[in-house]
Amino acid sequence: MSKKVGIVMGSDSDLPVVEKAISMLESFDVPCEVHVFSAHRTPVEARDFALNARKNGFGAIIAAAGMAAHLAGALAANTTLPVIGIPVKSKYLDGIDALLSTVQMPTGIPVATVAIDGAGNAALLAIQMLAIEDAALAQKLDEKRAKDAAAVLEKDRALAAKLAGN
């Protein structure tokens, strides 16, 4: 059985974004545990989650936060597990603030960062990390890539047929 992926969001308002990661992990049968911890309002709980993540069976952590977006960095500072940050779009600066806060980590405390609202890719990156030691999970990734490629090639064929008919 694969290790779990921890998903932490700074606010429950981030759930619509995070649901894409949850769905992707579920589609690969990767267990996940989802929490709301704030780097600013619940720093003790966020720290405790990160400090205990490895012994609690996690293999990676996904952190979703908007605006100041210090959550991924706060978690990464307290674990050596890989942390993947999802900058969440806000109504003020379209997520650029969160992107810059997430990606600008000091040397020694890395955070992998995906696109603004990029929860699907965050989950896939976590799955790829877990698949390093899990051959069955790696096979599922290969199958997904082949299916995705086939879907694009089918669209190419349909487009060519449509254009040939004009």
Side-chain angles (χ1 to χ4, degrees):
M1 178 186 217
S2 294
K3 291 189 176 281
K4 299 183 287 187
V5 173
I7 301 177
V8 182
M9 55 189 146
S11 168
D12 62 349
S13 66
D14 299 329
L15 185 58
V17 171
V18 167
E19 284 175 332
K20 295 176 185 97
I22 296 167
S23 294
M24 184 67 71
L25 291 165
E26 287 175 348
S27 75
F28 279 85
D29 299 318
V30 173
C32 66
E33 193 174 294
V34 184
H35 296 278
V36 176
F37 296 132
S38 168
H40 305 109
R41 292 184 214 91
T42 60
V44 172
E45 291 80 1
R47 178 180 177 271
D48 288 348
F49 177 82
L51 283 172
N52 295 302
R54 186 180 302 276
K55 78 175 182 185
N56 288 331
F58 293 95
I61 298 171
I62 296 171
M67 297 168 55
H70 294 136
L71 183 59
L75 295 171
N78 289 291
T79 186
T80 55
L81 288 175
V83 175
I84 304 162
I86 304 171
V88 177
K89 186 175 181 176
S90 67
K91 64 182 179 180
Y92 299 108
L93 298 173
D94 287 331
I96 297 298
D97 48 347
L99 174 64
L100 294 175
S101 293
T102 306
V103 78
Q104 292 291 345
M105 292 301 300
T107 299
I109 308 296
V111 170
T113 307
V114 296
I116 296 167
D117 290 352
N121 269 351
L124 285 169
L125 183 55
I127 293 164
Q128 288 176 322
M129 291 170 177
L130 297 179
I132 292 169
E133 297 292 325
D134 185 330
L137 199 52
Q139 178 63 35
K140 288 180 183 181
L141 281 165
D142 289 340
E143 291 166 3
K144 180 185 182 345
R145 289 274 179 103
K147 183 179 173 183
D148 290 350
V152 171
L153 294 174
E154 180 53 39
K155 290 177 183 181
D156 178 62
R157 284 188 286 279
L159 177 62
K162 178 180 177 181
L163 295 176
N166 287 336

